[in-house]
Amino acid sequence: MSKKAPWVLALLAGASWSLAAPSAAQPILVVDGPQPGQTVAGVVAVSGFVLSHNAIDKIELFIDDIDVPVNRAVLNLSRPDVTAAFPSFAGSPNAAAGWITSFLARNYTSGPHDLRLAVTEGGVGTTVFGPINVNIDNTINQSPFGHMDLPARTSLASLSGSAAVLGWALDDSDIDHLDFLVDGNIWASAIGRGGVGNATFGGQRPDVYAAFPDFPGTVYPDPKSLYSGFVANLDTTSLSDGLHTISVRATDNQGAAREIDSVDVQVMNNGSLLGPFGQLEYPLDEATLICGPAVQVIPPGGPCPSPCLPGGGGGGTIPLTFFPNIVKGWALDTGARQDLGQVSYVELMLDGAILANTRSDCTVAGTILDNCYGLNRPDIEQQH
């Protein structure tokens, strides 16, 4: 660590920031939190922004006088407020000036501790900022925290049909359940990771793991910060048109709860926007398909396969032809909720030409289904 810069307190653009005062050759590091003297517990986020006309290689967090960094910050986070306040840095190599890192308070004794941040500029050197003194109190049970990524809050989102609610949630012990609310009323819940409920929690979020790498977790899923994503799907046809508030409330396994995020949305259920939706899961995009020989299956004796083939009789002995390339996915229609329609059939097309229709071409032979719609998908039932 080659250089050190002292800390001063400054009030900029109406926000309370801890501003490191550098010389002309040094970067400017601003810490949004924690503030000097703040009492912290659980997973402690350390975040802010850095200004420099040089490229920033890394920002490392050090605690007390130990020379080994605790964590390395995630860089290049968008900070439009910083760009507006410091327009001369808008064209610099680190125009996206935001950064975030963290540490786990329970790894340290209760009492005062010093935080330092080392900023390394490419080809220039390292500048150490600090210390920031914080007070760790390990008797405090931290409430869950997180973020809702969708619906977006950049403008008033207009929702129609099936609307995804996506985000992440963490806690210093663990999340017990998540409640998804519309106008203060619960419409979906996720119980644990991969548990029961009509929403899911535990999806992979490598971006969250990068920001909170030492999050506790010695058994699956480990680390918990990697498996912190949640998703719920709101059927807006159950709501009246107009303004609504979507919020997410997380409760940890010690009973502490917090509304981690909320967003106002505009519901506009337009009939033309309520068509079927779904996903083509296989083959993957740009996959290579091998055109192998067709496979023929002779149905076992018994009832005629569905649909009954001409001349098949009751024995069902006519060979059925299958090709080894599988196309699978799912489709739904929110109109079915109000008896306004549902998925009637699905067509398979190649270069715009229809190859199969699930209403006219579905065949069932024993456990083999070909060109059929309506297979059991409990995962989709849970999400929708």
Side-chain angles (χ1 to χ4, degrees):
M1 299 182 183
S2 57
K3 300 179 287 184
K4 289 190 176 181
W7 286 96
V8 298
L9 293 181
L11 194 66
L12 299 176
S16 181
W17 288 334
S18 293
L19 175 64
S23 68
Q26 293 175 327
I28 301 172
L29 184 78
V30 177
V31 179
D32 297 324
Q35 292 295 308
Q38 181 177 336
T39 297
V40 297
V43 180
V44 184
V46 183
S47 63
F49 63 89
V50 62
L51 297 173
S52 175
H53 289 292
N54 301 310
I56 302 298
D57 281 351
K58 60 183 177 180
I59 298 178
E60 295 174 307
L61 172 65
F62 295 83
I63 297 182
D64 298 330
D65 294 325
I66 300 175
D67 290 332
V68 178
V70 174
N71 278 324
R72 184 168 173 170
V74 177
L75 305 177
N76 301 316
L77 303 180
S78 177
R79 287 293 300 263
D81 57 328
V82 174
T83 303
F86 303 94
S88 62
F89 288 90
S92 66
N94 66 317
W99 56 268
I100 184 172
T101 184
S102 66
F103 68 94
L104 186 60
R106 71 173 65 169
N107 289 339
Y108 304 89
T109 59
S110 294
H113 293 270
D114 292 330
L115 310 183
R116 290 177 174 81
L117 292 150
V119 179
T120 301
E121 299 173 279
V124 177
T126 299
T127 305
V128 180
F129 296 89
I132 303 176
N133 180 263
V134 297
N135 295 306
I136 292 178
D137 187 349
N138 288 319
T139 65
I140 298 175
N141 174 35
Q142 182 186 48
S143 298
F145 63 99
H147 181 69
M148 189 192 311
D149 302 319
L150 288 178
R153 55 180 45 78
T154 52
S155 60
L156 188 62
S158 181
L159 307 182
S160 180
S162 179
V165 179
L166 299 173
W168 57 271
L170 288 176
D171 184 74
D172 62 331
S173 53
D174 202 5
I175 301 290
D176 180 76
H177 65 274
L178 295 168
D179 292 321
F180 300 83
L181 302 91
V182 175
D183 301 330
N185 300 311
I186 298 175
W187 58 270
S189 295
I191 312 300
R193 288 179 170 81
V196 297
N198 47 4
T200 57
F201 174 62
Q204 289 196 29
R205 289 296 299 261
D207 56 330
V208 178
Y209 170 61
F212 303 97
D214 59 353
F215 193 81
T218 56
V219 296
Y220 176 83
D222 177 18
K224 293 185 177 70
S225 58
L226 178 60
Y227 301 92
S228 59
F230 62 72
V231 58
N233 290 279
L234 170 64
D235 181 4
T236 65
T237 62
S238 63
L239 302 174
S240 60
D241 287 352
L243 291 174
H244 296 274
T245 300
I246 298 176
S247 55
V248 180
R249 183 176 62 211
T251 303
D252 70 12
N253 54 14
Q254 299 183 50
R258 176 188 291 174
E259 182 180 291
I260 61 175
D261 215 343
S262 67
V263 62
D264 294 329
V265 298
Q266 172 79 34
V267 172
M268 294 292 292
N269 284 306
N270 188 320
S272 63
L273 302 177
L274 298 179
F277 63 98
Q279 182 180 6
L280 175 62
E281 298 170 314
Y282 190 85
L284 300 177
D285 186 31
E286 299 185 0
T288 299
L289 302 181
I290 300 175
C291 298
V295 176
Q296 286 193 333
V297 176
I298 299 179
C304 176
S306 174
C308 286
L309 303 178
T317 57
I318 294 181
L320 301 178
T321 301
F322 298 90
F323 291 90
N325 291 316
I326 303 299
V327 179
K328 62 174 291 188
W330 58 271
L332 289 176
D333 186 355
T334 55
R337 186 183 181 280
Q338 297 180 329
D339 295 328
L340 301 178
Q342 59 184 352
V343 176
S344 176
Y345 57 87
V346 177
E347 292 177 323
L348 171 64
M349 297 188 294
L350 180 64
D351 297 332
I354 299 175
L355 300 183
N357 180 301
T358 61
R359 181 167 59 184
S360 60
D361 301 322
C362 175
T363 55
V364 181
T367 60
I368 299 177
L369 293 88
D370 189 36
N371 299 326
C372 296
Y373 173 75
L375 281 67
N376 187 24
R377 287 296 299 265
D379 57 325
I380 304 303
E381 179 187 20
Q382 183 181 30
Q383 293 181 23
H384 300 270

